[in-house]
Amino acid sequence: MRVLGGLRSFSAVVALCAALAVFPAWSPTPAAGADLGPGARVQPVRSPDSGPALRHDTSPPLRTLARAAGQVPVAPRTPAPPGRPSGPALPGRAVPDPVVQRSQGGPARIPLRRSFEGVSHGGTVPPDPNASVGSSQIMEVTNLELAVFSKTGDSLLGQIPVNTLWKGFGGPCETGFNVDPVVRWDTLARRWVFTLYSVDNQRLCVGVSTTPDATGSYHRYVFGYQEDPDYEKVSVWPGAYYVTINSGGPGRQEACAWDRGRMLRGEDAGQQCYLLPADHFLLASDLDGTRPPRRGEPNLLVTLGDTDDTLRYYRFHADWTNQSLTSVTGPGNLRVAPFTRACERTNVFGDSCVPQAGTRQKLDSLSYFPMYRLAYRNFGDHEALVFNHSVDARGAVGVRWYELRLRNGRPVVHQQSTYAPDTTYRWMGSVAQDRAGDIALGYSQSSAQDHPSIRVTGRLADDPPSRMTFHETTVWTGAGSQTGSHRWGDYTSMAIDPSDDCTFWYTNQYQPADGVDNWHTRIASFRLPGCDRRRL
């Protein structure tokens, strides 16, 4: 239990009353979380992509590869945008959002602990910035570049081409145009997991570090696919590394499990893949903290539903001893508060409606899929997952965020809200929970009067539900707008520091001046009050 004084408790009561006034009564139907009937959609099917990795080895230390002469040059170019799913005609007007937060949560702002420059102008748009935090280091990856930092912001390695890790491996991982990078810290094994999509060769390149040192050696793997494994998102789970990819054809997505145990040991490893009936990109549950789910618990996959008041989910359990026991169940349907996807009212190609100061160039909101990550945490007495996506809000764009909890293995909505305290545009969010159950949300912010900037907000675990209670805090104010391209993002990252399980690290991009390929990234850390005195 947190001890913050009587005034805090009285304020919470006042805030709760205000929240009830802000949010009209809304609740899901009794069928929320139920599996759909067998005739509702085609069931998941095993993909022909299942099978062993095409090849693998163990690299020299990354720091050695970086020092070697003749690093692989990569010609700058803009990756194709993730394919927008086909669906019903776009609505002419926004559906009223019953869970919009229309005011700042309170006067308290989030004090930043560290804030420093990350990777900059890597030569392509969008940069796809994301970072993860290990026991003593931060590894950041963007399209075409990577870097390793200390937690004080000192450069330990970089900025180097992402292909550097695959120097000497051969094939498209070393020589191809490789984008959509994702890095994760496996908190149970204390290892780094790093993936790339090889655009022209239908390959995913995967590195799993041999030690907690991000500059050390990696077990390297390459997996092949019949369709482009676009926009891959990797998640850490005890029984497997799960990856969701935008392939499989119209109305289908693909999810694969990689043999985590063998990859950690550098042995031959395979993947088990399934084609899932879904119009929108899936996210797999991604473990935070050191308390694993129960042994054999399926990984929950979540995406947006067929209607704008539902989420769709699957449960994926990979068995490596007897693959005939691997199961993917679903789809299940979960009712949520109605929403209108951001930018749909403008009915413009590419989802571009976010304005910027000083230019007519507008930016994509990427509202047609959930934003990375689907962060999972086991608190012992409950299991929680948080994620977000962009929605129409107050005539602009806001961030719809959820906390789901598992009940008998199926998700239910514990709380949800659309953060839109005014009519500026907020999008490209990432959200996570610390060990106390506090939630932090980071995102991009822009308007016709503002250059794109980086902001965060948050709430404590026992604050009034469905409300961000900290005043919006600016991490960094952009000094320019992006001209010449609507591509922004495609994602950002909110990570948890495993050394205390309380410190949030947020990574996002900004423009130091008007331009199209001169972006910078910023990495910032903060803690919410009292985390270290609360739940373990």
Side-chain angles (χ1 to χ4, degrees):
M1 180 177 179
R2 187 193 321 111
V3 180
L4 292 178
L7 181 59
R8 171 69 174 173
S9 300
F10 175 76
S11 299
V13 172
V14 173
L16 176 60
C17 293
L20 293 176
V22 170
F23 302 129
W26 184 90
S27 61
T29 66
D35 285 339
L36 299 180
R41 300 276 317 244
V42 176
Q43 295 300 297
V45 296
R46 190 171 175 91
S47 166
D49 294 332
S50 301
L54 300 181
R55 62 173 302 191
H56 75 97
D57 73 357
T58 299
S59 75
L62 178 57
R63 56 184 175 273
T64 301
L65 296 174
R67 285 196 298 265
Q71 289 181 332
V72 178
V74 181
R77 85 191 212 203
T78 300
R84 182 176 180 132
S86 59
L90 303 179
R93 60 185 179 84
V95 174
D97 188 329
V99 294
V100 171
Q101 180 171 332
R102 296 181 176 275
S103 63
Q104 295 282 357
R109 296 180 186 267
I110 297 173
L112 300 181
R113 296 165 68 90
R114 299 282 182 183
S115 179
F116 56 87
E117 285 289 278
V119 173
S120 61
H121 50 80
T124 191
V125 175
D128 295 358
N130 76 108
S132 199
V133 186
S135 52
S136 62
Q137 300 166 324
I138 299 166
M139 186 175 185
E140 183 189 10
V141 293
T142 67
N143 273 331
L144 308 188
E145 303 286 330
L146 71 82
V148 179
F149 302 94
S150 73
K151 293 182 182 179
T152 59
D154 296 326
S155 176
L156 303 179
L157 181 66
Q159 171 173 326
I160 60 175
V162 291
N163 301 63
T164 303
L165 178 59
W166 280 272
K167 185 174 176 60
F169 188 72
C173 294
E174 180 178 358
T175 62
F177 181 66
N178 298 334
V179 296
D180 289 351
V182 176
V183 62
R184 287 294 297 126
W185 171 257
D186 183 335
T187 187
L188 299 180
R190 301 181 71 245
R191 303 284 189 89
W192 299 92
V193 185
F194 175 29
T195 70
L196 288 173
Y197 159 41
S198 185
V199 172
D200 301 317
N201 303 93
Q202 297 172 320
R203 302 286 188 265
L204 287 181
C205 312
V206 187
V208 179
S209 69
T210 63
T211 72
D213 182 4
T215 73
S217 60
Y218 286 75
H219 301 311
R220 302 184 293 194
Y221 294 83
V222 57
F223 293 97
Y225 301 86
Q226 294 190 345
E227 302 285 344
D228 289 330
D230 180 35
Y231 205 75
E232 92 287 355
K233 297 292 174 288
V234 66
S235 299
V236 174
W237 203 247
Y241 294 127
Y242 286 90
V243 61
T244 54
I245 53 183
N246 177 36
S247 65
R252 295 195 302 182
Q253 300 293 313
E254 188 165 6
C256 298
W258 294 330
D259 193 336
R260 173 178 174 268
R262 298 185 68 85
M263 294 173 76
L264 287 168
R265 297 189 295 270
E267 300 171 348
D268 291 341
Q271 64 177 355
Q272 299 183 59
C273 299
Y274 283 79
L275 298 173
L276 309 178
D279 292 322
H280 310 282
F281 308 158
L282 291 151
L283 292 179
S285 306
D286 189 24
L287 176 68
D288 281 334
T290 57
R291 188 195 300 268
R294 71 182 187 278
R295 186 175 180 84
E297 180 172 337
N299 187 282
L300 187 75
L301 312 177
V302 174
T303 186
L304 304 183
D306 289 340
T307 60
D308 289 345
D309 60 354
T310 59
L311 304 177
R312 183 172 292 275
Y313 67 88
Y314 298 85
R315 293 182 293 163
F316 190 170
H317 170 64
D319 192 301
W320 298 105
T321 304
N322 183 353
Q323 293 194 18
S324 67
L325 299 179
T326 292
S327 64
V328 181
T329 60
N333 202 32
L334 180 63
R335 284 288 307 279
V336 298
F339 58 85
T340 299
R341 291 168 195 157
C343 303
E344 287 200 341
R345 292 183 307 138
T346 59
N347 207 15
V348 295
F349 175 77
D351 208 39
S352 305
C353 75
V354 178
Q356 310 171 85
T359 178
R360 298 179 64 182
Q361 177 66 64
K362 295 187 178 181
L363 304 174
D364 289 359
S365 72
L366 299 191
S367 64
Y368 41 94
F369 54 90
M371 289 279 99
Y372 192 63
R373 298 179 296 128
L374 175 61
Y376 166 94
R377 189 177 284 273
N378 185 354
F379 290 99
D381 60 349
H382 70 276
E383 299 169 273
L385 304 102
V386 292
F387 76 101
N388 79 97
H389 59 104
S390 299
V391 301
D392 184 276
R394 306 179 67 180
V397 173
V399 179
R400 168 68 71 86
W401 62 272
Y402 306 89
E403 180 184 354
L404 309 180
R405 293 194 177 179
L406 296 183
R407 182 182 300 163
N408 298 321
R410 290 178 170 81
V412 297
V413 177
H414 179 68
Q415 56 179 332
Q416 61 183 320
S417 181
T418 298
Y419 188 69
D422 55 38
T423 56
T424 193
Y425 286 66
R426 297 170 176 86
W427 84 110
M428 207 61 65
S430 188
V431 62
Q433 286 183 296
D434 64 20
R435 73 181 193 186
D438 308 324
I439 296 175
L441 171 67
Y443 45 87
S444 294
Q445 174 273 332
S446 186
S447 73
Q449 292 76 42
D450 301 309
H451 299 300
S453 298
I454 305 170
R455 296 185 181 184
V456 295
T457 186
R459 55 170 283 110
L460 302 182
D462 56 359
D463 283 343
S466 300
R467 185 173 178 81
M468 291 295 171
T469 53
F470 283 87
H471 197 284
E472 184 174 58
T473 300
T474 297
V475 171
W476 199 254
T477 300
S481 294
Q482 180 172 284
T483 59
S485 175
H486 56 87
R487 302 292 304 284
W488 185 266
D490 289 327
Y491 40 92
T492 65
S493 66
M494 185 71 76
I496 298 292
D497 195 322
S499 62
D500 61 13
D501 217 13
C502 284
T503 301
F504 295 95
W505 290 87
Y506 185 56
T507 305
N508 199 344
Q509 72 176 99
Y510 71 94
Q511 287 287 131
D514 289 351
V516 69
D517 59 359
N518 59 328
W519 50 263
H520 283 213
T521 67
R522 195 80 185 175
I523 301 172
S525 70
F526 56 92
R527 292 175 62 170
L528 299 183
C531 171
D532 55 348
R533 299 193 299 273
R534 290 178 281 138
R535 182 194 298 269
L536 296 175

